[in-house]
Amino acid sequence: FRSYAFVDPRCPFCQRAHRALNGKYSVRYLPISVLGDEATMNGALPGIRGVFRSGDRAAALNKVMETGDVSGLDVSPDGKLDADVNANMEVWAGLSARLPDQQPAVPLFVVPEGKSGNVAVVKGWHDGMPQVMDALLAK
């Protein structure tokens, strides 16, 4: 399967990772809302809904990640989409709980390691991450 990245569109580290990897590798970005208190997290849901509803999800995610601008996107309430985002957040939390330090973070990458069936789970973004992700994703 392909690689996945759990990202919060408001997260500056997620934004840097997205700029570095987008278009370079086949990564499916799963936008989630995990930063801040409950009200702040709920405030990010409209933009995520707009990304999911867009005919061009990649372009919509780029716009939201780079500018925070949700104009032109359908951000209206939708319990089903919110449930899908919450399901992605549960997967993210479950993966985070299996990390050695058990500390959740975004971005969180899930990358298959060749034909072995093993999966690498890598979190965060710092100056050395482009080389780490190149090594994992170029396989």
Side-chain angles (χ1 to χ4, degrees):
F1 67 87
R2 74 169 103 181
S3 300
Y4 295 88
F6 292 88
V7 295
D8 187 318
R10 301 161 300 150
C11 165
F13 299 103
C14 296
Q15 293 163 356
R16 287 176 40 206
H18 186 258
R19 278 192 295 276
L21 301 175
N22 190 40
K24 188 173 182 181
Y25 297 108
S26 177
V27 176
R28 181 169 182 199
Y29 293 91
L30 302 169
I32 58 177
S33 178
V34 296
L35 300 178
D37 60 17
E38 186 174 348
T40 304
M41 290 181 355
N42 288 337
L45 285 174
I48 294 171
R49 282 187 218 120
V51 169
F52 279 131
R53 284 190 178 118
S54 176
D56 185 346
R57 287 185 181 178
L61 182 63
N62 287 342
K63 179 180 177 182
V64 171
M65 295 278 288
E66 293 301 318
T67 67
D69 182 12
V70 297
S71 63
L73 299 177
D74 180 355
V75 299
S76 59
D78 184 318
K80 166 121 176 50
L81 282 179
D82 292 353
D84 289 346
V85 173
N86 286 332
N88 286 343
M89 288 169 44
E90 287 178 21
V91 171
W92 166 81
L95 289 167
S96 295
R98 290 178 179 85
L99 292 170
D101 65 4
Q102 299 179 340
Q103 296 298 310
V106 286
L108 182 80
F109 301 95
V110 180
V111 182
E113 293 183 312
K115 296 180 182 184
S116 68
N118 293 332
V119 175
V121 179
V122 180
K123 71 175 183 177
W125 195 261
H126 53 75
D127 291 341
M129 285 300 289
Q131 293 81 10
V132 170
M133 296 309 292
D134 283 344
L136 284 171
L137 294 168
K139 294 180 180 183

